[in-house]
Amino acid sequence: SVDPAVLKKVFRIVRWFGIALIAFGTLLIYFRAHAFRLFSSLGESTCDLIITSSSSLKRAIREEDRLHLSGLLTILLIAIGLRLYFSSIIPMRYDESFTFITYASQPFHYIISNYSFPNNHIFHSVLVRFAYLLFGNEPWALRLPALITGTLLIPVSYLTVRFLFDKNSALLAGALMATSPALIEYSTNARGYMLICLFTMILIGL
């Protein structure tokens, strides 16, 4: 059953959101020429960024020596292996269980509207909700968002450090990220900490 107070709060948020969308749509109609130019420019810039980044990455992979690429692949495999191993042997912690029972097991509207405790890392709770609906309430499924983001942190860290410094520093950074006990623990903990680490590293790279 849905708490009437929570439902009333959700309806109030949705109502104001709808009013804001109507106002925004009205402004877009009035300034449609400016809006069209702005969105076109943003779209072109985004496409250029994706194309340029993809080309640079492909060229770097083709030109890189096999030993370096083998080292990076080894680091990634070690990172994945460590995270999968500890995710399978460590029992559910209190914060993980509390977050799932109180938030991630509830409907989406409840997750995004209830911040009664800081345990609700809202975006992460939404991802855990998806994993729960797809795979059930197994510990590995609830930890899947943290595990994926924790693994993605290694290549993102490698690319960021390589952009800022050089390839050897990037390889060292990837190795440190892959074997850091704290990052391994957070990657096997169904909480939102690894999302913060990943987004922070992406921002540094950008």
Side-chain angles (χ1 to χ4, degrees):
S1 61
V2 179
D3 187 346
V6 173
L7 195 59
K8 184 178 180 181
K9 183 178 179 181
V10 171
F11 284 158
R12 185 164 58 249
I13 294 171
V14 171
R15 190 179 300 117
W16 281 108
F17 185 66
I19 293 171
L21 282 179
I22 292 171
F24 182 66
T26 304
L27 288 173
L28 282 181
I29 293 172
Y30 187 76
F31 297 104
R32 55 185 176 274
H34 297 287
F36 180 77
R37 285 197 296 271
L38 174 62
F39 290 133
S40 297
S41 176
L42 287 174
E44 291 173 2
S45 299
T46 303
C47 290
D48 289 342
L49 177 62
I50 293 172
I51 292 171
T52 303
S53 300
S54 300
S55 300
S56 299
L57 184 59
K58 289 177 182 177
R59 186 170 61 254
I61 291 174
R62 283 198 304 267
E63 296 174 355
E64 191 55 75
D65 62 88
R66 295 290 181 88
L67 182 61
H68 185 85
L69 291 176
S70 299
L72 178 59
L73 180 60
T74 302
I75 289 170
L76 283 173
L77 292 176
I78 290 172
I80 294 170
L82 287 172
R83 283 152 178 76
L84 288 175
Y85 173 73
F86 285 105
S87 181
S88 64
I89 66 168
I90 297 176
M92 290 292 288
R93 306 170 181 87
Y94 172 80
D95 276 356
E96 293 178 284
S97 303
F98 181 86
T99 300
F100 171 68
I101 293 170
T102 308
Y103 302 108
S105 63
Q106 306 300 321
F108 286 108
H109 69 81
Y110 183 88
I111 297 173
I112 65 175
S113 64
N114 187 348
Y115 196 64
S116 51
F117 291 98
N119 285 67
N120 188 17
H121 301 166
I122 294 175
F123 181 53
H124 178 263
S125 297
V126 168
L127 296 179
V128 173
R129 173 71 177 168
F130 277 117
Y132 163 61
L133 293 176
L134 288 172
F135 305 112
N137 63 347
E138 297 295 329
W140 69 266
L142 305 183
R143 290 169 172 168
L144 194 59
L147 184 67
I148 292 173
T149 51
T151 304
L152 287 176
L153 181 64
I154 286 89
V156 169
S157 301
Y158 171 86
L159 291 174
T160 297
V161 175
R162 180 159 181 156
F163 290 152
L164 295 175
F165 299 101
D166 57 68
K167 67 178 186 179
N168 295 322
S169 300
L171 205 61
L172 177 60
L176 291 173
M177 293 287 185
T179 57
S180 165
L183 293 179
I184 292 172
E185 180 184 355
Y186 284 140
S187 298
T188 58
N189 190 344
R191 308 285 285 119
Y193 304 120
M194 289 314 303
L195 281 171
I196 296 173
C197 295
L198 180 63
F199 291 154
T200 299
M201 190 59 68
I202 291 172
L203 287 173
I204 293 172
L206 292 174

